[in-house]
Amino acid sequence: MSEVRVLYRPPTSKGDKITDMDLKNQIINLVKLQELDSEIYALGNERAAKPQEIKALEDAFELKKQDLAALEKKSLDLQKQRKEKELELAANAEGVKKLSGQLFSLKTNKEFQTMQQQIADAKADGSVIEEKILLSFEESDKIKVQIDAENLKLKDEEKIFLQQKKTIELRGEEIGARLSQLDAQRKQILPGIDPKMLQEYEKILHSRAGLAIAAVKDNSCGGCHMQVPAQVINLIKMYEHIITCEVCNRILYIKE
Ligand SMILES: [Zn+2]
């Protein structure tokens, strides 16, 4: 078995400045401190996750805007295409007008008939373009209805999104207020702990996920759940030294 780690031996001799700080009392204070620190650690983690939660909500909401954006693009594309068709139709009408103007200056009947056919063809082309423009308007009307519906839907989605965001922000504020309370309570306990011991405790606290002092329960460490030998348990009960878990290095104590 490996040696029992003795972390720190507090001053015990009479006349010492901190004789009233016997080890048992200090352990009791450390346990109180740990209760606060466990909550501080959990709240700190919760608060640190908030920006990510808000970002996820924002991303999800942005994604919901995509359908509307697609419809709006489709509507704009249709308008653009229609504009082109309208120009085409105007050019076609211009062509028909020009051909019609030339019609009566023709000399032969054959030329006249050919020109008449050309005019009829051009007019037919014009009708096709007109039909396409009409269909495009119909399509635009349908899309407009869809856009209106999508806008309404998005308004509801936005309300939900803003509510959820607000809830997260309020929780963040709540955490901030609670952390201030805990910090004030922490400051009241600190004078009851030897500074060197506190330093060791905090070192373990930061390296061991917010848990520096663990109770031994059913012969195992409350931090890492590894078995604590009977010999070590006896040492803990003697309150002569700070005893740490040989696996996770947390300070060990026995609940009474
Ligand atoms: Zn352990």
Side-chain angles (χ1 to χ4, degrees):
M1 204 193 80
S2 62
E3 255 179 72
V4 171
R5 267 173 49 101
V6 174
L7 188 74
Y8 167 64
R9 189 189 173 96
T12 49
S13 59
K14 282 182 183 167
D16 197 295
K17 274 193 283 187
I18 41 175
T19 42
D20 54 331
M21 284 191 190
D22 66 274
L23 189 53
K24 193 171 176 179
N25 275 332
Q26 298 222 31
I27 291 280
I28 290 169
N29 283 332
L30 278 187
V31 171
K32 283 185 201 161
L33 193 63
Q34 178 66 68
E35 269 175 41
L36 300 176
D37 282 336
S38 290
E39 194 179 342
I40 289 171
Y41 191 82
L43 289 176
N45 278 346
E46 192 187 337
R47 188 161 69 170
K50 294 294 165 204
Q52 196 50 44
E53 282 175 37
I54 289 176
K55 174 83 171 57
L57 280 180
E58 281 167 352
D59 289 351
F61 183 58
E62 283 306 311
L63 214 65
K64 282 173 179 155
K65 288 181 184 168
Q66 278 184 355
D67 283 350
L68 179 65
L71 285 170
E72 279 169 343
K73 183 178 182 307
K74 210 170 159 187
S75 175
L76 273 176
D77 286 349
L78 273 172
Q79 274 180 36
K80 234 189 269 171
Q81 285 164 15
R82 201 155 58 229
K83 201 101 214 148
E84 283 165 18
K85 291 279 167 223
E86 279 165 351
L87 287 173
E88 216 181 302
L89 185 65
N92 173 277
E94 192 58 39
V96 170
K97 202 175 145 193
K98 207 172 149 192
L99 290 175
S100 302
Q102 292 166 3
L103 198 56
F104 297 98
S105 61
L106 298 174
K107 295 187 174 91
T108 68
N109 201 33
K110 193 168 185 311
E111 279 176 336
F112 186 81
Q113 274 172 358
T114 305
M115 184 66 88
Q116 259 191 331
Q117 188 56 49
Q118 275 181 357
I119 291 168
D121 287 348
K123 279 183 175 169
D125 287 348
S127 294
V128 171
I129 298 167
E130 252 174 1
E131 184 64 23
K132 279 182 183 165
I133 290 171
L134 278 177
L135 284 175
S136 166
F137 271 118
E138 276 172 30
E139 179 78 10
S140 279
D141 286 347
K142 272 186 213 158
I143 289 173
K144 195 179 174 301
V145 170
Q146 285 176 310
I147 286 175
D148 288 348
E150 201 57 40
N151 262 320
L152 277 179
K153 205 173 99 186
L154 264 184
K155 276 223 170 72
D156 287 341
E157 295 283 5
E158 189 176 28
K159 254 185 230 161
I160 295 168
F161 157 65
L162 290 174
Q163 263 169 11
Q164 287 171 332
K165 193 175 159 188
K166 184 93 199 156
T167 304
I168 293 174
E169 284 165 352
L170 284 176
R171 177 66 188 145
E173 287 168 23
E174 215 176 81
I175 290 173
R178 179 68 186 143
L179 283 173
S180 303
Q181 274 181 351
L182 289 166
D183 194 49
Q185 288 174 26
R186 207 176 183 276
K187 283 194 177 110
Q188 289 180 333
I189 298 176
L190 293 185
I193 301 166
D194 179 73
K196 197 168 172 237
M197 191 147 142
L198 181 66
Q199 203 186 343
E200 288 299 335
Y201 163 89
E202 287 186 333
K203 214 168 84 187
I204 303 169
L205 191 73
H206 292 125
S207 65
R208 291 286 162 205
L211 186 68
I213 181 163
V216 175
K217 206 181 159 193
D218 300 329
N219 299 327
S220 63
C221 164
C224 68
H225 307 293
M226 295 303 283
Q227 217 198 327
V228 179
Q231 177 208 350
V232 176
I233 292 176
N234 285 335
L235 284 173
I236 297 169
K237 285 176 179 165
M238 286 164 75
Y239 290 106
E240 283 181 0
H241 305 290
I242 292 276
I243 308 297
T244 58
C245 172
E246 59 188 59
V247 180
C248 71
N249 286 334
R250 292 184 175 98
I251 300 165
L252 293 174
Y253 77 102
I254 313 265
K255 257 185 195 163
E256 284 177 16

